Amino acid sequence: MKRLVFLGLFLMLAMAACDTTTHEARRMVRRAEQLAYTLPDSAVRLIDSVLRMPASFSERERTDMVLLQAEALFGDRGNEISPVMDDEFFDDRPFLTTSPELEHAAAFYAGKKQYDKAVHAALYSGVVQQHYNEKEAAMRSFKEAEQYGKLAGDSLSVAQAEYRMGKMLYDDYMEEEAIALFNSADTLFGYHFAERALVQNMKAVAYIVLEQFDIAELCLKKSLAYAEQSLSLKVKRKALNNYAVYYRLEGNYDQAINCLKQIADESNLTNTEETLLYLNMGKSYASLGVTDSAAVYYQYIKEFLNSDNMKDDTKFSAYGALSQFAENQCDIYSAFQYHKMHEDLMSKIQSQHEKKSVFRIQQQYDYESLQNEMNRKLIRKQRFVTVLGILTIIGLAVLAVSQIRLAKVQKQEAETKANLFHFMQQNKELAKKNEEQKQNQIILTQKHKESEQAFEDLLKEKERLEQTSAEYGEELSLELRKEQSIMLRLHLFLQNQGDEELL
């Protein structure tokens, strides 16, 4: 019996030990939740590790983890610009990707009527899809974010989704449709002035392409005003840079240079921002005809082109500008070299886009393969746990049956002992009663004998009394007769007192 008890305990401990991986994974998820705001990169890595662990999670838990990872990546952390609105967010993380389950998270939350989470899941999924040039999927995600945001009353997320959709339409040369979305987003952003500055900036760019320069200037003024209100230097530089482009296209090169000098006065420019600044300064001075100044700024650009922090898109623009400037200076050899670098870089950029797409597909495939492998491991583990559980149940059932049988046997033994004890008590009582009856019988016999003797004595006494009574009767009769005679004589005397003879 004890062996069965120990076996059951061992099996229960074994089943508990099998789930230590899940407990550890949940502990890591709780830690990631704590780090999501202060150390988002660490939270992202923790969630990525958890998603690769052979842990048993429900669909709800996995979806919450995926959304937590996306929130750590794209959530607002008090930056000048939200990552969702920042075009330069992916500059230092070109191959950043999230769990493929993020694409299904929005539908999951929408099915649970949790639209506040659904809008974020759709929005973040669209950002990643847009980065990997999955235009149809990205547009669909942003439309879902717009829909869920309206249901949740989240105007900020709706505005961000519409801004993203507007940029996609602008990239596809659909400027008027893009402007309509920018107008809607601008209204919804409300007091988020940095975001409104970006929206007005993009509207200005779209109107410049449409050659509606008056409206473009108005949008640029609003963008610069909103940037001043937001105290965001990054947004302000974007507005000033496009203001310089506007002035240059208008032929107002002095104003263009003045805008660019305002940017140059700042000291915290990145390599990319400095390169764009020098590029626009060079173009402005070249258009103005001041080739010496233009050559100085183009020389600065050459020094930055070898920097590893330089974006390929910026290099692409720089090589194009250098090629054009060299051609204008009749430096055909340099113009040819820069043009060749320009084309090579274009091929490199296209190759990088293909690599990103391949990387995205490979990541999804690896993740799905990992998930399939984890599912197989989980199935094997669940089978083991199931078999272990069945054996435990069988063992406990056998133990329970044996305990029940033992209890029944013990109960029967106890009942038998109780019956035997009761029988022995009754036997003792009967023996005692028999002994008492024997004593009583002896006593009764003695009393009977005494009664018979007494009866005989009574008979003798009766006979004696009868004899005495007879004798006494005779004597009494005699005395009565004597008394009667005397009384009679007295009566006669009393009635005949004068009769002396009779007297």
Side-chain angles (χ1 to χ4, degrees):
M1 189 61 59
K2 290 183 178 180
R3 291 181 178 178
L4 287 175
V5 174
F6 286 132
L7 176 61
L9 292 174
F10 173 76
L11 291 174
M12 292 176 66
L13 289 173
M15 290 175 65
C18 289
D19 205 35
T20 54
T21 303
T22 302
H23 290 311
E24 176 62 17
R26 288 196 172 98
R27 186 193 67 79
M28 293 172 65
V29 172
R30 290 193 295 271
R31 182 58 178 162
E33 291 174 350
Q34 297 170 354
L35 298 174
Y37 188 85
T38 55
L39 297 171
D41 292 338
S42 298
V44 170
R45 287 192 292 270
L46 272 174
I47 295 298
D48 186 64
S49 299
V50 171
L51 291 172
R52 298 175 186 277
M53 293 173 65
S56 178
F57 287 111
S58 65
E59 184 180 5
R60 158 70 70 177
E61 290 175 318
R62 295 193 68 84
T63 307
D64 287 343
M65 281 192 294
V66 169
L67 182 58
L68 174 63
Q69 184 186 46
E71 287 282 5
L73 283 171
F74 304 109
D76 188 3
R77 297 291 178 263
N79 300 327
E80 291 185 19
I81 307 174
S82 169
V84 175
M85 300 288 291
D86 191 357
D87 297 331
E88 300 172 4
F89 176 75
F90 288 99
D91 287 353
D92 55 348
R93 39 176 87 85
F95 294 101
L96 174 67
T97 186
T98 55
S99 169
E101 294 183 49
L102 181 62
E103 298 179 5
H104 310 292
F108 174 82
Y109 287 122
K112 304 293 183 182
K113 307 299 182 184
Q114 293 180 293
Y115 299 114
D116 55 333
K117 293 184 177 181
V119 59
H120 286 178
L123 182 62
Y124 301 150
S125 180
V127 172
V128 176
Q129 291 164 341
Q130 185 180 10
H131 172 64
Y132 285 99
N133 205 33
E134 299 173 5
K135 295 182 179 180
E136 293 183 3
M139 183 62 75
R140 184 165 53 250
S141 295
F142 289 137
K143 291 296 291 183
E144 290 176 355
E146 183 184 32
Q147 176 187 359
Y148 299 144
K150 290 178 180 178
L151 291 173
D154 187 352
S155 58
L156 177 60
S157 296
V158 173
Q160 290 174 336
E162 290 179 345
Y163 173 77
R164 281 283 179 173
M165 287 190 288
K167 283 183 64 65
M168 292 181 67
L169 292 174
Y170 171 79
D171 292 337
D172 286 338
Y173 308 102
M174 301 172 66
E175 291 83 6
E176 293 182 355
E177 292 81 356
I179 289 171
L181 285 171
F182 290 145
N183 286 330
S184 176
D186 181 62
T187 303
L188 292 172
F189 273 127
Y191 293 102
H192 294 83
F193 296 114
E195 285 77 4
R196 294 191 71 175
L198 292 174
V199 172
Q200 292 295 334
N201 191 41
M202 282 304 304
K203 281 179 60 179
V205 172
Y207 280 120
I208 288 173
V209 173
L210 294 173
E211 297 183 353
Q212 299 181 25
F213 296 104
D214 293 339
I215 303 177
E217 183 182 10
L218 180 62
C219 292
L220 287 170
K221 287 181 180 180
K222 289 182 179 180
S223 179
L224 195 57
Y226 289 141
E228 294 284 355
Q229 285 183 284
S230 69
L231 303 178
S232 173
L233 296 177
K234 188 174 184 177
V235 176
K236 182 180 178 181
R237 288 195 293 267
K238 286 179 176 290
L240 287 171
N241 188 69
N242 281 329
Y243 230 134
V245 172
Y246 161 77
Y247 281 129
R248 190 176 74 246
L249 294 175
E250 283 282 279
N252 194 345
Y253 303 115
D254 291 333
Q255 287 292 342
I257 293 171
N258 183 47
C259 290
L260 294 173
K261 283 183 177 180
Q262 293 182 51
I263 299 175
D265 292 338
E266 298 180 12
S267 58
N268 57 344
L269 299 178
T270 64
N271 289 344
T272 300
E273 288 174 333
E274 281 192 282
T275 304
L276 288 174
L277 172 64
Y278 296 148
L279 182 61
N280 286 324
M281 290 287 279
K283 288 181 178 179
S284 298
Y285 277 115
S287 300
L288 190 60
V290 184
T291 56
D292 293 339
S293 298
V296 171
Y297 286 106
Y298 281 132
Q299 183 62 37
Y300 289 153
I301 293 173
K302 294 177 186 179
E303 295 175 1
F304 279 108
L305 287 174
N306 296 324
S307 174
D308 294 333
N309 297 327
M310 182 72 62
K311 290 172 57 176
D312 288 334
D313 291 341
T314 305
K315 289 182 180 181
F316 179 76
S317 299
Y319 283 129
L322 289 170
S323 176
Q324 183 64 42
F325 181 73
E327 185 177 349
N328 293 338
Q329 297 298 311
C330 299
D331 187 355
I332 305 302
Y333 177 77
S334 297
F336 176 77
Q337 292 296 324
Y338 288 132
H339 182 71
K340 184 177 184 302
M341 292 178 183
H342 181 78
E343 291 184 344
D344 291 342
L345 193 57
M346 183 173 61
S347 300
K348 180 182 177 182
I349 292 173
Q350 292 177 348
S351 177
Q352 285 180 341
H353 285 308
E354 294 175 358
K355 284 182 180 179
K356 285 198 301 184
S357 299
V358 171
F359 175 79
R360 169 81 165 165
I361 296 171
Q362 183 65 39
Q363 286 291 100
Q364 292 178 337
Y365 175 78
D366 291 343
Y367 184 84
E368 291 175 359
S369 299
L370 177 63
Q371 286 298 109
N372 292 333
E373 180 63 25
M374 287 170 57
N375 290 336
R376 285 193 292 269
K377 289 182 179 180
L378 286 174
I379 290 172
R380 289 196 295 268
K381 178 180 175 181
Q382 289 173 354
R383 286 176 180 172
F384 172 74
V385 172
T386 303
V387 172
L388 201 59
I390 292 173
L391 292 176
T392 302
I393 293 171
I394 292 173
L396 294 175
V398 171
L399 179 62
V401 171
S402 62
Q403 290 292 334
I404 292 171
R405 289 182 177 177
L406 178 61
K408 287 182 178 179
V409 171
Q410 291 177 345
K411 182 179 179 181
Q412 291 176 353
E413 290 180 354
E415 290 177 352
T416 303
K417 289 180 180 179
N419 293 332
L420 180 61
F421 178 76
H422 183 66
F423 176 75
M424 291 174 65
Q425 288 293 109
Q426 287 181 341
N427 190 30
K428 287 180 180 179
E429 291 177 359
L430 289 173
K432 184 177 180 180
K433 288 180 179 179
N434 290 332
E435 185 67 24
E436 290 177 353
Q437 288 178 356
K438 288 180 181 181
Q439 294 293 334
N440 293 333
Q441 189 67 29
I442 293 172
I443 294 171
L444 289 173
T445 302
Q446 291 178 353
K447 289 182 177 180
H448 183 67
K449 289 181 179 180
E450 291 176 355
S451 299
E452 289 180 349
Q453 183 65 37
F455 184 70
E456 291 177 358
D457 294 340
L458 288 172
L459 290 176
K460 290 179 180 181
E461 183 66 21
K462 181 182 178 183
E463 291 176 357
R464 186 182 65 77
L465 291 173
E466 288 177 351
Q467 185 178 357
T468 303
S469 176
E471 293 176 355
Y472 178 75
E474 291 179 358
E475 293 178 356
L476 181 60
S477 297
L478 182 60
E479 290 294 330
L480 288 172
R481 284 195 297 273
K482 287 180 178 181
E483 185 176 354
Q484 185 178 15
S485 178
I486 292 171
M487 294 298 292
L488 181 61
R489 290 176 181 175
L490 177 58
H491 178 70
L492 290 175
F493 169 73
L494 293 174
Q495 291 184 353
N496 300 283
Q497 292 181 1
D499 191 353
E500 297 178 354
E501 182 181 357
L502 183 56
L503 180 58

